[in-house]
mmCIF file of all heavy atoms in Angstrom:
data_model
loop_
_atom_site.group_PDB
_atom_site.id
_atom_site.type_symbol
_atom_site.label_atom_id
_atom_site.label_comp_id
_atom_site.label_asym_id
_atom_site.label_seq_id
_atom_site.Cartn_x
_atom_site.Cartn_y
_atom_site.Cartn_z
ATOM 1 N N MET V 1 18.775 -7.011 -32.041
ATOM 2 C CA MET V 1 17.727 -6.493 -32.866
ATOM 3 C C MET V 1 17.693 -7.138 -34.265
ATOM 4 O O MET V 1 16.873 -6.825 -35.081
ATOM 5 C CB MET V 1 17.838 -4.976 -33.058
ATOM 6 C CG MET V 1 17.585 -4.219 -31.739
ATOM 7 S SD MET V 1 16.041 -4.663 -30.926
ATOM 8 C CE MET V 1 14.864 -4.103 -32.141
ATOM 9 N N GLY V 2 18.657 -8.044 -34.526
ATOM 10 C CA GLY V 2 18.660 -8.723 -35.800
ATOM 11 C C GLY V 2 19.134 -7.825 -36.943
ATOM 12 O O GLY V 2 19.617 -6.707 -36.725
ATOM 13 N N PRO V 3 18.975 -8.305 -38.185
ATOM 14 C CA PRO V 3 19.330 -7.488 -39.340
ATOM 15 C C PRO V 3 18.267 -6.424 -39.642
ATOM 16 O O PRO V 3 17.179 -6.514 -39.101
ATOM 17 C CB PRO V 3 19.392 -8.520 -40.469
ATOM 18 C CG PRO V 3 18.407 -9.563 -40.031
ATOM 19 C CD PRO V 3 18.486 -9.651 -38.538
ATOM 20 N N ASP V 4 18.619 -5.471 -40.464
ATOM 21 C CA ASP V 4 17.674 -4.466 -40.867
ATOM 22 C C ASP V 4 16.761 -5.038 -41.934
ATOM 23 O O ASP V 4 16.932 -4.820 -43.141
ATOM 24 C CB ASP V 4 18.396 -3.218 -41.397
ATOM 25 C CG ASP V 4 17.466 -2.070 -41.689
ATOM 26 O OD1 ASP V 4 16.279 -2.161 -41.294
ATOM 27 O OD2 ASP V 4 17.909 -1.064 -42.280
ATOM 28 N N ILE V 5 15.737 -5.804 -41.495
ATOM 29 C CA ILE V 5 14.892 -6.556 -42.404
ATOM 30 C C ILE V 5 14.158 -5.724 -43.409
ATOM 31 O O ILE V 5 14.088 -6.072 -44.588
ATOM 32 C CB ILE V 5 13.916 -7.428 -41.600
ATOM 33 C CG1 ILE V 5 14.708 -8.467 -40.729
ATOM 34 C CG2 ILE V 5 12.945 -8.166 -42.492
ATOM 35 C CD1 ILE V 5 13.861 -9.159 -39.682
ATOM 36 N N ASN V 6 13.610 -4.600 -42.930
ATOM 37 C CA ASN V 6 12.825 -3.771 -43.858
ATOM 38 C C ASN V 6 13.643 -2.680 -44.520
ATOM 39 O O ASN V 6 13.112 -1.842 -45.223
ATOM 40 C CB ASN V 6 11.634 -3.103 -43.092
ATOM 41 C CG ASN V 6 12.100 -2.268 -41.918
ATOM 42 O OD1 ASN V 6 13.287 -2.252 -41.588
ATOM 43 N ND2 ASN V 6 11.175 -1.551 -41.337
ATOM 44 N N ALA V 7 14.947 -2.719 -44.329
ATOM 45 C CA ALA V 7 15.908 -1.837 -45.040
ATOM 46 C C ALA V 7 15.509 -0.341 -44.918
ATOM 47 O O ALA V 7 15.653 0.443 -45.826
ATOM 48 C CB ALA V 7 15.962 -2.208 -46.519
ATOM 49 N N ASP V 8 15.062 0.059 -43.720
ATOM 50 C CA ASP V 8 14.743 1.433 -43.476
ATOM 51 C C ASP V 8 15.865 2.211 -42.771
ATOM 52 O O ASP V 8 15.704 3.392 -42.438
ATOM 53 C CB ASP V 8 13.448 1.579 -42.683
ATOM 54 C CG ASP V 8 13.544 0.977 -41.278
ATOM 55 O OD1 ASP V 8 14.600 0.346 -40.941
ATOM 56 O OD2 ASP V 8 12.587 1.117 -40.485
ATOM 57 N N GLY V 9 16.970 1.569 -42.535
ATOM 58 C CA GLY V 9 18.112 2.225 -41.880
ATOM 59 C C GLY V 9 17.969 2.342 -40.376
ATOM 60 O O GLY V 9 18.857 2.906 -39.685
ATOM 61 N N ILE V 10 16.896 1.749 -39.815
ATOM 62 C CA ILE V 10 16.679 1.816 -38.385
ATOM 63 C C ILE V 10 16.411 0.397 -37.826
ATOM 64 O O ILE V 10 15.652 -0.359 -38.367
ATOM 65 C CB ILE V 10 15.432 2.688 -38.057
ATOM 66 C CG1 ILE V 10 15.599 4.083 -38.634
ATOM 67 C CG2 ILE V 10 15.165 2.741 -36.550
ATOM 68 C CD1 ILE V 10 14.340 4.927 -38.566
ATOM 69 N N LEU V 11 17.125 0.073 -36.748
ATOM 70 C CA LEU V 11 16.887 -1.193 -36.110
ATOM 71 C C LEU V 11 15.819 -1.001 -34.978
ATOM 72 O O LEU V 11 16.064 -0.344 -34.009
ATOM 73 C CB LEU V 11 18.174 -1.742 -35.489
ATOM 74 C CG LEU V 11 19.268 -2.227 -36.467
ATOM 75 C CD1 LEU V 11 20.494 -2.643 -35.731
ATOM 76 C CD2 LEU V 11 18.716 -3.324 -37.325
ATOM 77 N N ASP V 12 14.631 -1.516 -35.237
ATOM 78 C CA ASP V 12 13.548 -1.332 -34.267
ATOM 79 C C ASP V 12 12.873 -2.702 -34.060
ATOM 80 O O ASP V 12 13.424 -3.742 -34.424
ATOM 81 C CB ASP V 12 12.555 -0.292 -34.771
ATOM 82 C CG ASP V 12 12.104 -0.515 -36.225
ATOM 83 O OD1 ASP V 12 12.198 -1.703 -36.667
ATOM 84 O OD2 ASP V 12 11.714 0.451 -36.872
ATOM 85 N N GLU V 13 11.657 -2.695 -33.454
ATOM 86 C CA GLU V 13 11.029 -3.954 -33.146
ATOM 87 C C GLU V 13 10.677 -4.803 -34.358
ATOM 88 O O GLU V 13 10.515 -6.008 -34.298
ATOM 89 C CB GLU V 13 9.749 -3.696 -32.326
ATOM 90 C CG GLU V 13 8.673 -2.928 -33.084
ATOM 91 C CD GLU V 13 7.422 -2.694 -32.213
ATOM 92 O OE1 GLU V 13 7.437 -3.077 -31.038
ATOM 93 O OE2 GLU V 13 6.453 -2.156 -32.780
ATOM 94 N N VAL V 14 10.568 -4.157 -35.531
ATOM 95 C CA VAL V 14 10.324 -4.881 -36.763
ATOM 96 C C VAL V 14 11.498 -5.805 -37.082
ATOM 97 O O VAL V 14 11.342 -6.878 -37.650
ATOM 98 C CB VAL V 14 10.071 -3.918 -37.917
ATOM 99 C CG1 VAL V 14 9.929 -4.667 -39.246
ATOM 100 C CG2 VAL V 14 8.825 -3.087 -37.669
ATOM 101 N N ASP V 15 12.706 -5.374 -36.640
ATOM 102 C CA ASP V 15 13.927 -6.137 -36.932
ATOM 103 C C ASP V 15 14.366 -7.006 -35.734
ATOM 104 O O ASP V 15 15.545 -7.415 -35.663
ATOM 105 C CB ASP V 15 15.074 -5.150 -37.282
ATOM 106 C CG ASP V 15 14.680 -4.142 -38.374
ATOM 107 O OD1 ASP V 15 14.213 -4.598 -39.433
ATOM 108 O OD2 ASP V 15 14.765 -2.954 -38.119
ATOM 109 N N GLU V 16 13.441 -7.240 -34.824
ATOM 110 C CA GLU V 16 13.771 -7.984 -33.620
ATOM 111 C C GLU V 16 14.268 -9.418 -33.914
ATOM 112 O O GLU V 16 13.726 -10.084 -34.769
ATOM 113 C CB GLU V 16 12.511 -8.066 -32.736
ATOM 114 C CG GLU V 16 12.759 -8.790 -31.398
ATOM 115 C CD GLU V 16 11.467 -8.884 -30.612
ATOM 116 O OE1 GLU V 16 10.449 -8.379 -31.073
ATOM 117 O OE2 GLU V 16 11.506 -9.478 -29.503
ATOM 118 N N ASN V 17 15.311 -9.813 -33.222
ATOM 119 C CA ASN V 17 15.870 -11.116 -33.359
ATOM 120 C C ASN V 17 15.012 -12.080 -32.490
ATOM 121 O O ASN V 17 15.101 -12.044 -31.250
ATOM 122 C CB ASN V 17 17.332 -11.170 -32.888
ATOM 123 C CG ASN V 17 18.070 -12.375 -33.389
ATOM 124 O OD1 ASN V 17 17.495 -13.270 -33.951
ATOM 125 N ND2 ASN V 17 19.380 -12.403 -33.157
ATOM 126 N N VAL V 18 14.190 -12.896 -33.059
ATOM 127 C CA VAL V 18 13.238 -13.709 -32.353
ATOM 128 C C VAL V 18 13.812 -15.056 -32.013
ATOM 129 O O VAL V 18 14.011 -15.884 -32.902
ATOM 130 C CB VAL V 18 11.918 -13.881 -33.169
ATOM 131 C CG1 VAL V 18 10.922 -14.707 -32.359
ATOM 132 C CG2 VAL V 18 11.307 -12.533 -33.512
ATOM 133 N N ALA V 19 14.090 -15.298 -30.749
ATOM 134 C CA ALA V 19 14.722 -16.542 -30.327
ATOM 135 C C ALA V 19 13.654 -17.579 -29.941
ATOM 136 O O ALA V 19 12.491 -17.234 -29.656
ATOM 137 C CB ALA V 19 15.637 -16.279 -29.085
ATOM 138 N N PRO V 20 14.047 -18.871 -29.885
ATOM 139 C CA PRO V 20 13.115 -19.881 -29.402
ATOM 140 C C PRO V 20 12.655 -19.541 -27.988
ATOM 141 O O PRO V 20 13.431 -19.076 -27.156
ATOM 142 C CB PRO V 20 13.975 -21.157 -29.394
ATOM 143 C CG PRO V 20 15.015 -20.922 -30.425
ATOM 144 C CD PRO V 20 15.316 -19.453 -30.343
ATOM 145 N N GLY V 21 11.345 -19.732 -27.741
ATOM 146 C CA GLY V 21 10.810 -19.437 -26.399
ATOM 147 C C GLY V 21 10.147 -18.088 -26.320
ATOM 148 O O GLY V 21 9.448 -17.783 -25.318
ATOM 149 N N ILE V 22 10.353 -17.209 -27.310
ATOM 150 C CA ILE V 22 9.710 -15.894 -27.262
ATOM 151 C C ILE V 22 8.206 -16.045 -27.436
ATOM 152 O O ILE V 22 7.736 -16.768 -28.314
ATOM 153 C CB ILE V 22 10.259 -14.975 -28.424
ATOM 154 C CG1 ILE V 22 11.736 -14.641 -28.149
ATOM 155 C CG2 ILE V 22 9.415 -13.734 -28.557
ATOM 156 C CD1 ILE V 22 11.949 -13.736 -26.948
ATOM 157 N N ILE V 23 7.468 -15.403 -26.573
ATOM 158 C CA ILE V 23 6.025 -15.553 -26.550
ATOM 159 C C ILE V 23 5.370 -14.501 -27.472
ATOM 160 O O ILE V 23 5.779 -13.326 -27.499
ATOM 161 C CB ILE V 23 5.435 -15.403 -25.144
ATOM 162 C CG1 ILE V 23 6.112 -16.434 -24.210
ATOM 163 C CG2 ILE V 23 3.906 -15.596 -25.160
ATOM 164 C CD1 ILE V 23 5.893 -17.858 -24.613
ATOM 165 N N TYR V 24 4.357 -14.944 -28.215
ATOM 166 C CA TYR V 24 3.610 -14.005 -29.114
ATOM 167 C C TYR V 24 2.135 -14.192 -28.840
ATOM 168 O O TYR V 24 1.605 -15.279 -28.846
ATOM 169 C CB TYR V 24 3.931 -14.343 -30.591
ATOM 170 C CG TYR V 24 3.071 -13.590 -31.567
ATOM 171 C CD1 TYR V 24 3.119 -12.179 -31.614
ATOM 172 C CD2 TYR V 24 2.257 -14.268 -32.472
ATOM 173 C CE1 TYR V 24 2.330 -11.511 -32.534
ATOM 174 C CE2 TYR V 24 1.464 -13.589 -33.340
ATOM 175 C CZ TYR V 24 1.490 -12.195 -33.395
ATOM 176 O OH TYR V 24 0.726 -11.503 -34.286
#
């Protein structure tokens, strides 16, 4: 889930670790 990017204390989709090949 990556680091807590938005510093809300919750690891959710906002903090997703986006690897090469992930489709958007």
Side-chain angles (χ1 to χ4, degrees):
M1 294 307 296
D4 186 9
I5 296 168
N6 59 354
D8 62 354
I10 303 172
L11 291 177
D12 50 24
E13 63 179 6
V14 176
D15 310 304
E16 180 182 359
N17 198 353
V18 181
I22 294 292
I23 304 299
Y24 172 62

